[in-house]
Amino acid sequence: MMKMHIPHDTPSHDARQDARPFSQILDRLRGAGLRPTRQRMALAKLLFEGGDRHLTAEMLHADAQSANVRVSLATVYNTLHQFHRAGLLREIVVDSQRTYFDTNMSDHHHFYFDQSGELADIPGDQVEVAALPAAPDGMEVSRVDVVVRVRPQGA
Amino acid sequence: MMKMHIPHDTPSHDARQDARPFSQILDRLRGAGLRPTRQRMALAKLLFEGGDRHLTAEMLHADAQSANVRVSLATVYNTLHQFHRAGLLREIVVDSQRTYFDTNMSDHHHFYFDQSGELADIPGDQVEVAALPAAPDGMEVSRVDVVVRVRPQGA
DNA sequence: TGTCAAGTTTAGAATTACTATAATCTGATG
DNA sequence: CATCAGATTATAGTAATTCTAAACTTGACA
C-alpha cells in the first residue's frame, strides 16, 4: 500500500533526517479532509519539506516543473487555496497584484523588500503590538498583520 | 487668471468654510511639480475636499462621473500614482486585486472589513508597535503597516 | 497674442494574475 | 474490479491595471 509515481527519491525505509516523510504529509492531508492525490502530495512535499517559504502560485508551479512534477497551474491555485482553508498555509497580502502564501503558521510578522518583492519572517516575539483599539461594534478581530516595508539605505 | 470649466459651484469669493479653496489645491499641485490641469484640479478637489477617504481608481472615476467631471480611467490611474509619488496620498495594500489610496497622510493604521472590503482609519495613537526588530543589513524601514482584519462576530 | 515643445489626456489594446468551465481522469468504496 | 464523487486539466474568461500612439493643453517666449 502506498506506492506513488513520484520520481525515485527518498525511499521511506531509508530516510534519515525525518522518519516516514510521506505518511507525515499523508496524515496532514487526511486530517484536513483532502484526498491525498498525486498532485497534492507532490505539492505538499515541495511546500513543507523546504523549511519556511513564501511563495506565489507561479513560483510553486515553476518549482514543480523543475522537480519534474507535472501539475497544471490551475491545480496549483486550487491546492494553495485548499491548503490555506485547511489551515496548512497562511495568505499574506503585501503587494496588490500577487498573492503570497507562507508555510510558517506560527505567530509572526513580515519584512517586505519593496524593490525585490521578497518577504522575510519576523519572529512573533520581535514585534509587539500594544494597545489595539476595540473592534468596531458587532465585529471581532480575525487577524492583525504587521508589515515592515524596507528599502536599501538611502533610496 | 484662473477661470476653470468646472461645473458652476464654489465661486471662490463666496466660499465660507475654506478661504480660496482653488488656490490651496493649486499650490499643492504646484508644490508637487505637477501642472495644474483641469483634470488634476478636479480630481484633487474630489479627493481632498471630502475629508479622509479610502478609494480605488474605479471609485474615484465613478465619483468624477457623478460630479460631471469628464476624466478617463487611465487619467485617474495616472493621477493617483502621481499624487502618491508626490506625497499627497498614501497607498494601502489590504486586498490583492484592488489598490486603495488614502487621503489621510497622518500616521495611522487600518481596520479592514473582510466581507465588505471596506477600510477604516485607526488613529496612530491607538496602536502601538513596540519592539520593532532592526532592519536587515543595508536596509532601512520605509514604513510599518498594521492592518487589523475584522469580521462580523461569530463568522 | 501666435507658435511651439513639452507635458497631458485619451481610447483602446495589451498584460497580468487569477477564476470558471466542461471534459476527462482517479482513487476510495463496495 | 466497477462505480462515481471528487480531482485535474486545458482553455476560455474576467477584472484590475498598464501601455501605446495619437490628439490635445499648457506655459513660455517671440
Side-chain angles (χ1 to χ4, degrees):
Chain A
M1 126 295 187
M2 231 193 98
K3 193 166 282 178
M4 240 135 283
H5 300 254
I6 290 177
H8 45 88
D9 71 334
T10 342
S12 56
H13 64 280
D14 207 351
R16 199 144 294 135
Q17 53 217 14
D18 215 344
R20 303 173 70 225
F22 277 132
S23 54
Q24 273 199 168
I25 287 177
L26 237 181
D27 292 348
R28 266 182 120 157
L29 293 186
R30 289 243 172 80
L34 294 170
R35 230 147 74 168
T37 63
R38 206 172 352 346
Q39 293 84 335
R40 293 212 267 241
M41 290 293 283
L43 292 176
K45 257 180 80 68
L46 289 171
L47 283 168
F48 302 118
E49 293 187 348
D52 293 343
R53 308 192 61 190
H54 302 106
L55 30 66
T56 65
E58 304 272 355
M59 287 175 193
L60 180 56
H61 187 234
D63 258 38
Q65 312 263 247
S66 16
N68 264 302
V69 175
R70 260 204 162 38
V71 212
S72 73
L73 187 55
T75 296
V76 173
Y77 275 103
N78 290 340
T79 303
L80 285 171
H81 288 133
Q82 290 154 353
F83 284 12
H84 174 234
R85 249 177 280 126
L88 303 176
L89 287 176
R90 200 167 135 173
E91 197 185 358
I92 311 176
V93 182
V94 272
D95 178 4
S96 1
Q97 239 46 220
R98 54 181 97 273
T99 300
Y100 284 88
F101 292 87
D102 188 347
T103 60
N104 177 353
M105 291 296 292
S106 73
D107 177 34
H108 70 289
H109 298 289
H110 295 97
F111 280 122
Y112 179 64
F113 300 78
D114 244 302
Q115 3 70 66
S116 71
E118 261 158 83
L119 276 166
D121 285 351
I122 305 176
D125 57 8
Q126 285 189 39
V127 173
E128 199 188 333
V129 179
L132 262 199
D137 265 12
M139 296 283 156
E140 66 186 355
V141 173
S142 64
R143 188 143 58 86
V144 177
D145 287 332
V146 178
V147 177
V148 180
R149 285 165 202 275
V150 299
R151 62 183 167 209
Q153 254 157 20
Chain B
M1 125 295 189
M2 229 192 100
K3 194 166 283 177
M4 239 133 284
H5 298 254
I6 290 175
H8 45 89
D9 74 333
T10 340
S12 57
H13 63 280
D14 208 354
R16 199 145 291 137
Q17 54 216 12
D18 214 344
R20 302 174 73 223
F22 276 132
S23 55
Q24 272 198 170
I25 287 175
L26 237 182
D27 291 347
R28 265 183 121 157
L29 293 186
R30 289 243 174 80
L34 294 170
R35 238 148 66 167
T37 64
R38 204 168 358 350
Q39 293 85 333
R40 293 212 267 240
M41 290 292 285
L43 292 176
K45 256 180 82 66
L46 289 170
L47 283 168
F48 301 118
E49 295 188 348
D52 292 344
R53 309 192 58 191
H54 302 106
L55 29 67
T56 64
E58 304 272 356
M59 287 176 194
L60 180 55
H61 188 235
D63 259 37
Q65 312 262 249
S66 16
N68 264 303
V69 174
R70 261 210 158 41
V71 212
S72 72
L73 187 55
T75 296
V76 173
Y77 275 103
N78 289 341
T79 303
L80 285 172
H81 286 133
Q82 289 156 352
F83 284 13
H84 174 233
R85 248 177 282 124
L88 303 176
L89 287 177
R90 201 168 135 172
E91 197 185 359
I92 312 178
V93 182
V94 271
D95 178 5
S96 357
Q97 239 47 223
R98 57 180 94 273
T99 300
Y100 284 89
F101 290 88
D102 188 347
T103 60
N104 178 352
M105 289 298 290
S106 73
D107 178 33
H108 69 288
H109 298 292
H110 296 96
F111 280 122
Y112 180 63
F113 300 79
D114 244 301
Q115 2 72 62
S116 70
E118 259 159 83
L119 276 166
D121 284 351
I122 305 176
D125 57 9
Q126 286 189 37
V127 173
E128 199 188 334
V129 179
L132 263 198
D137 265 11
M139 296 283 156
E140 65 186 356
V141 174
S142 63
R143 188 142 59 85
V144 177
D145 287 333
V146 177
V147 176
V148 180
R149 286 165 202 275
V150 298
R151 62 182 170 210
Q153 254 157 18

